[in-house]
Amino acid sequence: TLYLARLHLFLYITSSIFDSLFNLVVFCLLSVFLVLFFFFQAEDGIRDAQESRGLGDVYKRQAKYLDSNIDTRDHPFILGEWTSPANKKATNTFPDAVAMVLQARGDNAGLSKWQTSMQGIPLAMHLNDMRTLAHSLKVDLDWDMEKCRSPEGYYGVKCGVDYAIARAQAFAPHADIIWMESGKPIAEQAGVFAAGVKKAAPHQMLAYNLSPSFNWDAAGMNDEEIRTFVSRLGKMGFVWQFITLAGFHTDALGVTSFARAYNKDQMLGYVRDVQRKERETGVPQLLHQTWSGAELIDKLQSLVNKGGSTSIMSDGVTEKQFASKL
């Protein structure tokens, strides 16, 4: 019964727009396709895509693969296979592999020199340069990134905030605003990213996705921490904070609530849960004819037909019924 009520409402609204069943069917199919396409592209597609393809999604904390190793800014984060000091096959980035060898030797001076060299702003060192520096520390590895490529040919990368920071630092001179996509709403993580970016570009503007894909109630925050989340990020330099699908979810909640009320209480469900609520909360769209542009059209029409009798907002307009209830 609930779904029939929803269908009845939808058909009633669209019947005045579409003059044939064929047009209505085409509209419905296109609408479903576009909603699903943009939903998954804008939200889950951005988050779960494993390949970093450009500036738009280059700062993903969770990216696992690259389609090319041509960019030297990626080299310190690409995974390779090598033989560890324990004489076992291991998978690490080249910087991590060298650090593991130096640490196993107990070469603290060499390890300190290596770690300092790996803290460039931005960190963008070609593999050959890293091999040369490692050789100067008497470390020569059989490290090979080609052995860690996926069946499709993608290079594996060490994902994380450090990778996002390095990429953001590199693009800061060319970007008005920088965005790192995250898996959960963690203010501390956002702070680390912001500090890392601003170390290279102090005035860089940052963006943050207050994603509805996050389960905010399972993010480890109480209500007060959720309430202040936006302001805390604002102090870190996240000047553009957005909810990617707020409209999608609020529309779904409103329509679902109304459909259930309409199914149960018929017209009372609309009057009680929509019209009265609009009046109580001062929602200006209660007078929807005003918002349709009717008054503007009347004024334009009066310029060429002054004193005409065919204005939209004439004496019989139903909107005037609300005068006594406002």
Side-chain angles (χ1 to χ4, degrees):
T1 305
L2 173 60
Y3 295 107
L4 288 176
R6 288 178 176 174
L7 179 60
H8 176 269
L9 176 64
F10 177 76
L11 291 175
Y12 177 80
I13 294 173
T14 56
S15 62
S16 61
I17 303 175
F18 300 97
D19 56 0
S20 72
L21 180 61
F22 175 76
N23 288 342
L24 179 58
V25 171
V26 172
F27 169 78
C28 291
L29 291 176
L30 286 175
S31 297
V32 171
F33 171 77
L34 289 174
V35 167
L36 291 176
F37 176 80
F38 285 112
F39 173 75
F40 288 112
Q41 287 293 318
E43 189 58 34
D44 294 327
I46 288 177
R47 172 164 293 97
D48 295 329
Q50 301 299 305
E51 180 185 352
S52 178
R53 297 176 178 170
L55 185 59
D57 63 348
V58 79
Y59 310 120
K60 293 201 296 289
R61 189 187 60 84
Q62 297 172 295
K64 294 182 180 179
Y65 295 105
L66 288 171
D67 60 359
S68 172
N69 65 350
I70 194 171
D71 193 335
T72 59
R73 288 167 292 199
D74 294 321
H75 286 193
F77 301 95
I78 295 178
L79 297 173
E81 185 180 288
W82 67 296
T83 304
S84 72
N87 202 31
K88 295 181 179 180
K89 292 295 182 183
T91 300
N92 298 97
T93 64
F94 190 85
D96 287 348
V98 173
M100 291 170 65
V101 172
L102 293 171
Q103 190 171 23
R105 290 179 183 172
D107 186 354
N108 294 329
L111 179 60
S112 178
K113 182 179 180 180
W114 178 255
Q115 291 175 335
T116 300
S117 300
M118 292 299 105
Q119 294 177 357
I121 300 176
L123 177 55
M125 187 178 293
H126 193 282
L127 176 60
N128 292 339
D129 295 329
M130 289 191 289
R131 286 190 183 277
T132 299
L133 179 59
H135 180 74
S136 70
L137 299 174
K138 299 181 180 181
V139 177
D140 295 294
L141 302 178
D142 59 347
W143 186 92
D144 188 355
M145 68 174 70
E146 300 297 326
K147 291 183 178 180
C148 290
R149 297 180 73 170
S150 72
E152 299 86 358
Y154 299 131
Y155 291 92
V157 296
K158 180 184 178 182
C159 57
V161 178
D162 289 340
Y163 187 20
I165 290 173
R167 296 286 283 176
Q169 288 177 342
F171 279 99
H174 317 289
D176 292 325
I177 196 163
I178 291 176
W179 166 20
M180 179 187 73
E181 183 75 353
S182 59
K184 293 182 179 180
I186 304 174
E188 292 75 14
Q189 180 190 81
V192 172
F193 175 73
V197 176
K198 290 181 176 294
K199 188 176 181 180
H203 303 293
Q204 179 64 51
M205 295 188 294
L206 304 174
Y208 195 92
N209 179 13
L210 303 165
S211 176
S213 288
F214 299 153
N215 184 347
W216 288 80
D217 285 328
M221 291 185 285
N222 57 38
D223 285 355
E224 180 61 18
E225 290 172 324
I226 293 175
R227 187 186 70 81
T228 61
F229 190 83
V230 170
S231 58
R232 283 184 285 149
L233 262 62
K235 294 177 182 178
M236 300 175 189
F238 290 90
V239 298
W240 181 36
Q241 300 182 47
F242 50 92
I243 305 176
T244 44
L245 293 169
F248 177 87
H249 288 282
T250 53
D251 285 348
L253 175 62
V255 170
T256 300
S257 299
F258 167 61
R260 290 173 178 172
Y262 187 68
N263 176 61
K264 179 181 178 182
D265 296 323
Q266 301 182 46
M267 198 57 202
L268 176 61
Y270 175 79
V271 174
R272 179 192 62 221
D273 296 346
V274 180
Q275 199 170 80
R276 290 175 185 169
K277 293 294 184 181
E278 287 179 319
R279 183 183 297 114
E280 291 170 5
T281 56
V283 176
Q285 283 78 6
L286 173 64
L287 306 179
H288 55 263
Q289 289 166 323
T290 299
W291 282 81
S292 70
E295 291 182 338
L296 175 62
I297 297 300
D298 281 350
K299 290 180 179 179
L300 292 175
Q301 182 174 275
S302 68
L303 294 176
V304 295
N305 186 22
K306 190 172 183 64
S309 58
T310 57
S311 63
I312 301 172
M313 303 296 284
S314 59
D315 291 339
V317 66
T318 56
E319 192 166 281
K320 294 184 177 181
Q321 297 175 16
F322 291 91
S324 61
K325 293 291 185 180
L326 295 177

